[in-house]
Amino acid sequence: MKFSIRAAIAIAVFCAASLAGSGSPGFAIEPGKSVTLTSLSANDQSTPLNVPLLTLVPSPTAQDTAPTDNGQQPTLDSDAANEAVTETPSYASLAAAIEAQSLPAKVDENLACLAGTIYFEAKGEPLAGQLAVAQVVMNRSVSGRFPSSICSVVKQPGQFSFMRGGRMPNIARDNAHYRRALAVAKVALDKAWAGPAGNALYFHARRVSPGWRLTRVAAIGGHIFYR
């Protein structure tokens, strides 16, 4: 009988302790601490896993976003505002960007090669088409699949039919088409206007159909552009 009473008392104490610990599964820990999880099995000798806790950022309260005394929403400080503002284009149109270019007294090699390509390949094309041809040359020079400079891209054998023995034919400096090609080339080199050809690496005239298995990027004027 004494044994039964003691056993009953032990069972009652155990049940009370279990009820006190019951509730939602889980465990409480201090914010910013990590907890070491060990195996529930005494036979499991695996290394404990340290699990870092996430730091929770409280959501903004109504007070944080409340209007100021004058009834307006709070504004960013000047530095944050400057970072948040997206830079706007410098020109109203591609034509305006080209018109704004001043031609240098001396044309450097890259500008000459790019302008010459625009002149021979696209002088009769709309401005967007001329800029797209310049984009192709520039894209090639940074693609890793073609020579790494603008002039070496233009002079690469078998690429541009206007080249003669690796040389570009002479162009009169006062030629109106060439002066416009120089301005388009400057816009392209300065990245003063986002051209329509994107990341195109190839183009051909609409009148031909080479059957390229490439992704078509744009069709502008008399040319179709691919990557």
Side-chain angles (χ1 to χ4, degrees):
M1 179 62 70
K2 290 182 180 181
F3 174 79
S4 298
I5 292 173
R6 289 177 181 175
I9 292 171
I11 291 171
V13 171
F14 176 79
C15 291
S18 298
L19 289 173
S22 65
S24 300
F27 44 86
I29 48 178
E30 294 180 30
K33 300 290 186 180
S34 63
V35 60
T36 301
L37 300 181
T38 55
S39 172
L40 296 178
S41 170
N43 297 325
D44 189 350
Q45 301 299 319
S46 60
T47 303
L49 174 66
N50 289 327
V51 182
L53 298 179
L54 296 177
T55 301
L56 300 180
V57 179
S59 301
T61 64
Q63 182 179 0
D64 296 331
T65 56
T68 56
D69 292 339
N70 60 9
Q72 297 179 350
Q73 288 296 117
T75 57
L76 297 172
D77 60 46
S78 57
D79 291 339
N82 289 336
E83 292 177 1
V85 174
T86 303
E87 186 177 351
T88 56
S90 301
Y91 305 101
S93 66
L94 173 56
I98 292 170
E99 184 67 25
Q101 302 306 309
S102 58
L103 301 184
K106 185 177 181 180
V107 178
D108 65 34
E109 187 178 22
N110 280 334
L111 181 59
C113 287
L114 196 57
T117 304
I118 295 168
Y119 175 82
F120 285 111
E121 292 287 344
K123 62 178 178 285
E125 294 295 307
L127 296 178
Q130 295 185 39
L131 183 60
V133 167
Q135 277 185 277
V136 167
V137 175
M138 293 176 62
N139 289 344
R140 286 188 177 193
S141 70
V142 296
S143 69
R145 298 161 59 183
F146 293 88
S148 58
S149 72
I150 288 174
C151 284
S152 57
V153 165
V154 174
K155 295 176 181 179
Q156 186 178 12
Q159 296 302 305
F160 294 99
S161 60
F162 64 84
M163 296 295 291
R164 298 288 184 268
R167 295 179 61 86
M168 186 179 295
N170 292 328
I171 310 170
R173 172 73 187 229
D174 59 353
N175 184 295
H177 289 295
Y178 181 61
R179 293 175 68 82
R180 184 173 63 178
L182 282 168
V184 173
K186 284 193 67 180
V187 169
L189 289 170
D190 293 341
K191 296 181 173 59
W193 191 262
N199 57 355
L201 293 172
Y202 308 91
F203 68 93
H204 67 72
R206 285 180 183 267
R207 65 178 181 274
V208 301
S209 181
W212 294 345
R213 294 183 178 180
L214 300 171
T215 301
R216 178 168 164 165
V217 174
I220 308 164
H223 289 133
I224 302 175
F225 296 83
Y226 301 83
R227 61 175 171 84

